[in-house]
Amino acid sequence: MTQGESETLRSIADAVPAALWSSDRHGRRSFVGGGWRGLVGGDASGPADRRWLDAVHPDDRGEAERRFLAAVARGAPLTQTYRMRRNDGGVLWVQETMRPRSDDAGRLVGFAGAIVDVGDLRAGADALRERAHASARLDAFRRSVLGLVDEVLEANDVAVAHRRVLERAIEVIPGAEAGAILVRDDEGDGYRFDAAVGYDLEHLGTIRIPVSATAFGHGFEGRTPRIVKASQMRPELPPGTERILRAYGRLDEIRVALVVPIFVDGRETAHLTLDAFASDEAFGEESVEMARVFAGHVAALLQRRSLESELRRTAYEDALTGLPNRAWFRERLDRTLHAIDGYRTRAALVFVDLDNLKPVNDSLGHWAGDRVLREVADRLRACARPSDVMARMGGDEFTVLLEGPSVGREARALAERILHAFNDPIRIDEHEASVTASIGIALHPSDGVDAEELVRHADIAMYHAKLGGKNDFAFFTPAMQAAPLERLMLEQALREALDRNEFVLEYQPRVDLRDGRVVAVEALVRWDHPRRGRIPPGAFVPLAESTALVHPLGRRILQLAVAQASEWRDRGLGRVRVAVNLSTRQVQHRELVDEVREVLASARLPASALEFEVLESAAMNDVSGGVANLWALKRLGARVALDDFGTGYSSLAYLRDLPIDALKIDRSFVARLHGPGGSDADLAIVRAIGSLGRELGLRVVAEGIEHHVQLRRARDAGCGEAQGFLLGRPVPASEIEPILRSGAIAV
Ligand code: C2E
Ligand code: MG
Ligand code: MG
C-alpha cells in the first residue's frame, strides 16, 4: 500500500459510520480511522483490544469475546451481533463482521473487521419477530377457543367444562401459569372454587372465600378485568381458609394475578383468575383480552348450569311445597335400594297421609288447602333429620326415606314426632284447621325388595293406621295385605246394611251425681249383622267416616234416635234427653243443620230433646264450618257436649267461644281414678276439668265409671254427671225403659 493509498483509505474509514479495524494473525487489533469515536464516543488511542472489550455490554461480553477468539484461532470469518455501551451511558446494538487476510502465498497474516451500529435495524427485527410470535399465539388462541366450543358442549358436567376452559386459557394466554374459577355460592356472600389448574382443587374445594377477601372486596367494581400484583393482595381471610389457600393455592408464590369478573344475567357470579409465578409483569394487554374471551365461555357455561338446574327443579320439585316430587323420589328410592345389599334392614319408607285435608278444601277453598299443605311440609321438614329424604307424592301424601342401621327404631320415632307435630292446629288467617296424619311404615328388604313393593306396603300400613281411627302409625305386616280387599267388601257390606236396616241403637243412661236422676241416655250404634251378630261401632264407624257412607249412616242414626225419643215422649216415659254422637265429618257437613231440622220436624220433636256429642277436634276445627253448625244446632234448642274431652288438642281458650253445654271427660282419665295405675296427676286432671267446667258454666260428665271409687272421686273432683257400666251398660231401647220410668239410679 502506498502512502497515497493509505491516506485515501484512512479518509474513507473516517467517513463511514463504523469502526474499522485490522489485526495481526493473533487478532491483536488496531482501529483504523475515527469510526470508533463516532460509534462509542471518546478517543481511539490506547490498546484497541482492551477498549473494545470494555465497551462491549457486560451481558454480551463473554460471548462476544469467545466467538472472536474462536474465529481468530480457526482463521475463519465471523459475523456477530452484540450490544455496546457508549461512553455517554447509552446502549447500542452493533454487528461486527471480520474476514481473514492472507498473503500471496495464501498464509494467514491477519484480520480486518468492521463494527456497525445496527440499533434501528435490530429494533425493527425485534418488532417483526414479536409480531410473528404474536400471530402464532393468536392462531393458537383462536384454535383453542374454537376447540373449546366443541369440548364444552360435549361435557356433561359444567365443572369438567370449566376445567377445560381453564386448561386452555393457561395454555395460550401469555404469562398464565395457573388459575382458578371461583363461583359465588348460594348464600351470595362468598366464593367457592369450581375449577383449578396448577393447584390442589380437592383442598381448595373445601373452603369458601368471603367476597370481602377477593379483589372485588377491595373496591374493585365494574366489569373490567384487573391485574393484581402480589404486593396489592390483601387477603383478609378466615384463618383456616388462609392456611389452605397459602398451602394449596400457593398464595405466597403468586407474583401477579389477572382477575376477570364474570356476569350472568347481569349479576356478578364468578371470577376467572389467572396467576403468574415468574414475574409480576407477566400479563399485558393481550393477556387481558384473551382472558376476557375465556371468561365469556365460563359465563355461558354458568348460564347453562343455572338453566339446567332450573329445568331439573321444575321436573323434580313440587312447586307448592318446594319438596322433591314423586318422580324424583322414585328415582332416589330406586338408587338407594340398589345400593343396599345384604339382608339387614337398612332403609325404611315412612308414608304419611293427611287425615282431614278435604274438609279444609271443601269449606275454605283450595287456596286454604294449599296453605295447609305448605305448613304440613314445613312441619314434616322439622321432624325429619337433614339426611332424611322427603317428598310430596301428590295430593295430601308425603314420604320420608330413612337410611341407616337402625331405621326401624328411627322410623317409629319419626312417626311419633310427626303425629306430635300435628297436635297444634294450622292457622289460616283467622281460621284454624286441625289436620292429623296417618302413617304407614315399611322396612327394606323384609317388607319390600324393590321400590314399588315398598311403597305399596307402606301405603297399606298407612291405610291400617287410618282404619284404626286415624292420627296413628302402623308398621306393615303381611297380614295387612288382605285388608284393602276386606275394606272394599266391608264398604259394600255397609251399604247393604243401610239398605237392609241392620243398624240399631242401644242406650246408656247418664245420671246427675247429686241425686241419681237420669238426665240423658246416649244413643250408641250397633250393627246387627245377620251372621256375625252385634258388631260394635269401633269396627265400622271409622271406615264409614273415611268414605261418603258417613252421611247416610249418620242420618239413619239420627232418624232412629229421634224416632225413639219421640215415641218415649208419646208414651209418657219422662222427658229424657237423647244424646246422639256426631262424627267429625258430619259436624262439618254443610247440610247437617237442615237435616236435623227436617228429621225433628217429621217426628214433631223439639230440638231440646237432643244433645249432640262431638269430638273436641271437630269443634275446634273452625275452618270447616263445624263451629257454625254447632251454633246453629244450639239455636235450634239442642245441647252440645264435647266428647272424649282431654284426648284432643284442647286449646282451653277456645272453650270460651264454643257453643257447648257439657264436657265429657274421657274414659281414660276416669279409668285411672281407680286401681294401681291411678295417680295423683289423673285425679288432678279430672279435678282441673271439673273446676274449668264450673268456671265456664258447663256441666262436667265423667265417662266410663265402672267402680264406686271412681264415682266418689269423680264427684269429689267436681263432676256433676256420670255415665258408665256401674250405672248402666248400653242396652236396647226396650231394656232402658224401666230406668226411664223410674227416672233415677242409686248413686
Ligand atoms: P263414646 O261416644 O265415647 O261412647 C262411649 C263408649 O264407651 C261406648 O262404646 C260405651 O259402650 C263405652 N262405655 C260406656 N261406659 C263404659 C264403661 O263403664 N266402661 C267401658 N269400658 N266402656 C264404657 P261404644 O258403644 O263401643 O262406642 C264407641 C264409640 O263409637 C263412641 O264413643 C263413639 O265415639 C262411637 N259411636 C258410637 N255410636 C255412634 C254413633 O251413633 N254415631 C257416631 N258417629 N259414633 C258413634
Ligand atoms: Mg259419645
Ligand atoms: Mg266418649
Side-chain angles (χ1 to χ4, degrees):
M1 200 186 303
T2 66
Q3 181 70 28
E5 278 171 338
S6 87
E7 282 296 319
T8 309
L9 205 59
R10 189 169 302 274
S11 60
I12 294 171
D14 283 344
V16 295
L20 304 182
W21 57 264
S22 68
S23 76
D24 62 13
R25 185 156 71 82
H26 306 289
R28 277 189 290 267
R29 285 187 275 202
S30 57
F31 286 107
V32 181
W36 176 259
R37 220 173 17 249
L39 209 58
V40 296
D43 66 79
S45 60
D49 290 337
R50 194 68 253 151
R51 271 186 289 141
W52 173 75
L53 207 55
D54 284 348
V56 176
H57 192 282
D59 286 353
D60 299 346
R61 195 176 290 158
E63 185 67 15
E65 189 183 20
R66 193 186 55 71
R67 285 202 196 136
F68 174 75
L69 293 178
V72 169
R74 293 204 313 277
L78 171 73
T79 301
Q80 64 169 337
T81 309
Y82 50 86
R83 280 167 292 177
M84 295 197 77
R85 277 193 317 202
R86 290 172 55 86
N87 282 347
D88 62 9
V91 173
L92 64 145
W93 282 96
V94 296
Q95 191 171 68
E96 179 171 33
T97 318
M98 61 189 261
R99 303 236 179 287
R101 288 192 293 124
S102 330
D103 60 13
D104 296 339
R107 281 189 300 259
L108 178 70
V109 292
F111 296 88
I115 300 169
V116 184
D117 178 354
V118 293
D120 291 346
L121 286 179
R122 173 73 196 203
D126 268 357
L128 276 175
R129 201 172 304 124
E130 179 57 23
R131 277 232 292 281
H133 279 158
S135 80
R137 266 203 311 272
L138 282 174
D139 268 359
F141 171 70
R142 274 192 214 101
R143 273 198 308 278
S144 186
V145 166
L146 284 175
L148 255 186
V149 174
D150 291 337
E151 277 184 47
V152 154
L153 286 177
E154 273 166 28
N156 285 327
D157 187 343
V158 170
V160 172
H162 275 165
R163 193 183 157 81
R164 298 245 165 90
V165 172
L166 202 53
E167 280 166 354
R168 290 305 183 96
I170 291 165
E171 207 175 286
V172 302
I173 294 180
E177 292 174 76
I181 293 173
L182 285 148
V183 177
R184 218 176 250 252
D185 59 15
D186 294 338
E187 293 85 64
D189 56 354
Y191 288 87
R192 288 186 191 284
F193 284 87
D194 206 44
V197 170
Y199 303 123
D200 176 353
L201 182 62
E202 211 174 302
H203 283 91
L204 294 181
T206 62
I207 58 172
R208 174 167 187 274
I209 301 182
V211 169
S212 61
T214 65
F216 297 89
H218 291 297
F220 176 23
E221 275 163 21
R223 294 171 174 244
T224 33
R226 182 188 201 187
I227 292 173
V228 189
K229 295 194 176 176
S231 57
Q232 300 168 298
M233 292 181 186
R234 292 169 293 170
E236 282 150 28
L237 294 158
T241 303
E242 180 159 353
R243 190 179 47 74
I244 290 178
L245 215 51
R246 289 201 187 284
Y248 302 98
R250 298 163 64 189
L251 203 56
D252 298 315
E253 296 168 53
I254 299 174
R255 301 281 298 276
V256 62
L258 167 53
V259 186
V260 190
I262 295 167
F263 286 78
V264 174
D265 297 333
R267 217 173 66 97
E268 186 233 298
T269 306
H271 300 164
L272 169 67
T273 307
L274 298 169
D275 301 321
F277 305 116
S279 148
D280 64 0
E281 300 287 346
F283 298 121
E285 253 176 61
E286 190 192 15
S287 307
V288 172
E289 284 316 304
M290 287 182 175
R292 272 182 199 267
V293 174
F294 283 103
H297 268 279
V298 176
L301 283 168
L302 287 172
Q303 187 125 36
R304 187 176 115 193
R305 173 149 78 188
S306 81
L307 186 71
E308 277 171 1
S309 72
E310 188 58 37
L311 285 175
R312 201 171 302 130
R313 245 207 309 284
T314 50
Y316 285 112
E317 189 182 282
D318 169 48
L320 179 64
T321 61
L323 286 174
N325 64 13
R326 174 193 292 269
W328 183 89
F329 188 79
R330 276 306 297 266
E331 258 180 41
R332 176 63 199 261
L333 185 60
D334 277 336
R335 250 187 298 137
T336 303
L337 298 186
H338 268 120
I340 296 176
D341 50 304
Y343 298 100
R344 280 162 180 262
T345 299
R346 297 206 54 100
L349 185 68
V350 178
F351 200 105
V352 182
D353 187 287
L354 302 184
D355 291 328
N356 23 24
L357 184 66
K358 199 176 174 307
V360 179
N361 274 333
D362 291 350
S363 59
L364 285 181
H366 285 272
W367 169 82
D370 287 353
R371 289 267 299 264
V372 169
L373 283 168
R374 272 199 290 270
E375 172 67 20
V376 164
D378 285 345
R379 291 189 188 183
L380 289 176
R381 272 193 202 101
C383 290
R385 301 166 304 181
S387 61
D388 298 336
V389 169
M390 184 182 287
R392 177 173 173 224
M393 299 294 268
D396 57 358
E397 293 174 355
F398 297 84
T399 44
V400 187
L401 173 65
L402 304 180
E403 278 178 76
S406 48
V407 285
R409 217 176 44 234
E410 280 158 14
R412 173 182 294 270
L414 174 66
E416 279 164 358
R417 279 201 302 277
I418 293 174
L419 294 181
H420 184 80
F422 287 114
N423 272 350
D424 294 328
I426 292 172
R427 281 214 77 91
I428 305 165
D429 298 340
E430 73 275 21
H431 303 287
E432 278 197 351
S434 111
V435 172
T436 57
S438 295
I439 302 170
I441 302 165
L443 304 176
H444 174 85
S446 52
D447 299 339
V449 288
D450 58 21
E452 196 177 316
E453 196 177 22
L454 206 59
V455 171
R456 196 172 67 241
H457 287 172
D459 189 26
I460 289 176
M462 182 278 294
Y463 252 110
H464 269 260
K466 252 198 213 306
L467 287 176
K470 302 181 180 176
N471 194 16
D472 201 359
F473 68 90
F475 278 84
F476 175 78
T477 63
M480 286 178 177
Q481 271 171 294
L485 185 62
E486 193 180 292
R487 184 188 142 92
L488 279 179
M489 285 162 56
L490 186 60
E491 211 179 307
Q492 183 56 30
L494 271 181
R495 265 181 241 284
E496 288 167 11
L498 272 170
D499 290 345
R500 297 196 207 119
N501 284 325
E502 287 172 3
F503 295 104
V504 296
L505 296 180
E506 289 190 341
Y507 298 89
Q508 185 181 32
R510 188 210 286 181
V511 303
D512 188 321
L513 278 177
R514 286 169 304 187
D515 49 16
R517 192 168 49 88
V518 176
V519 289
V521 289
E522 179 173 5
L524 295 159
V525 69
R526 276 89 182 91
W527 180 0
D528 245 341
H529 196 278
R531 286 189 318 282
R532 285 156 68 185
R534 210 148 255 219
I535 300 173
F540 61 90
V541 169
L543 174 71
E545 281 175 349
S546 73
T547 69
L549 283 174
V550 68
H551 298 299
L553 179 63
R555 187 186 172 89
R556 175 66 46 80
I557 290 165
L558 184 65
Q559 284 167 336
L560 288 172
V562 165
Q564 190 61 66
S566 136
E567 192 206 307
W568 281 332
R569 288 205 173 202
D570 291 349
R571 286 165 49 206
L573 284 173
R575 308 217 131 215
V576 74
R577 214 178 269 276
V578 175
V580 176
N581 291 283
L582 293 178
S583 84
T584 300
R585 282 183 66 184
Q586 279 179 282
V587 175
Q588 294 161 349
H589 196 50
R590 244 173 294 117
E591 286 154 29
L592 174 74
V593 181
D594 287 343
E595 195 172 282
V596 169
R597 207 185 279 120
E598 182 196 312
V599 171
L600 285 170
S602 66
R604 275 177 284 107
L605 189 74
S608 60
L610 294 182
E611 175 155 333
F612 291 101
E613 296 193 1
V614 302
L615 292 176
E616 260 180 301
S617 51
M620 300 297 176
N621 200 342
D622 194 10
V623 166
S624 1
V627 172
N629 273 347
L630 295 182
W631 277 107
L633 291 177
K634 232 179 117 70
R635 277 195 299 273
L636 285 182
R639 285 189 178 175
V640 178
L642 277 193
D643 208 350
D644 301 353
F645 186 75
T647 58
Y649 56 86
S650 308
S651 155
L652 295 179
Y654 266 83
L655 292 177
R656 196 185 44 208
D657 303 325
L658 285 175
I660 48 174
D661 305 279
L663 299 176
K664 295 187 78 175
I665 303 177
D666 191 66
R667 212 167 62 217
S668 56
F669 298 110
V670 174
R672 285 182 297 202
L673 291 183
H674 165 76
S679 69
D680 291 346
D682 292 308
L683 185 58
I685 289 171
V686 174
R687 198 178 281 143
I689 298 175
S691 63
L692 178 73
R694 266 199 312 282
E695 296 289 330
L696 295 174
L698 306 174
R699 288 171 295 125
V700 176
V701 186
E703 273 193 290
I705 299 285
E706 295 180 357
H707 302 275
H708 283 287
V709 193
Q710 293 166 331
L711 188 70
R712 202 179 59 238
R713 292 204 175 146
R715 185 194 281 129
D716 292 348
C719 299
E721 298 177 5
Q723 190 178 339
F725 292 170
L726 179 72
L727 304 165
R729 289 183 174 261
V731 289
S734 58
E735 289 174 42
I736 197 98
E737 283 170 14
I739 296 170
L740 295 182
R741 215 167 272 125
S742 79
I745 294 168
V747 287

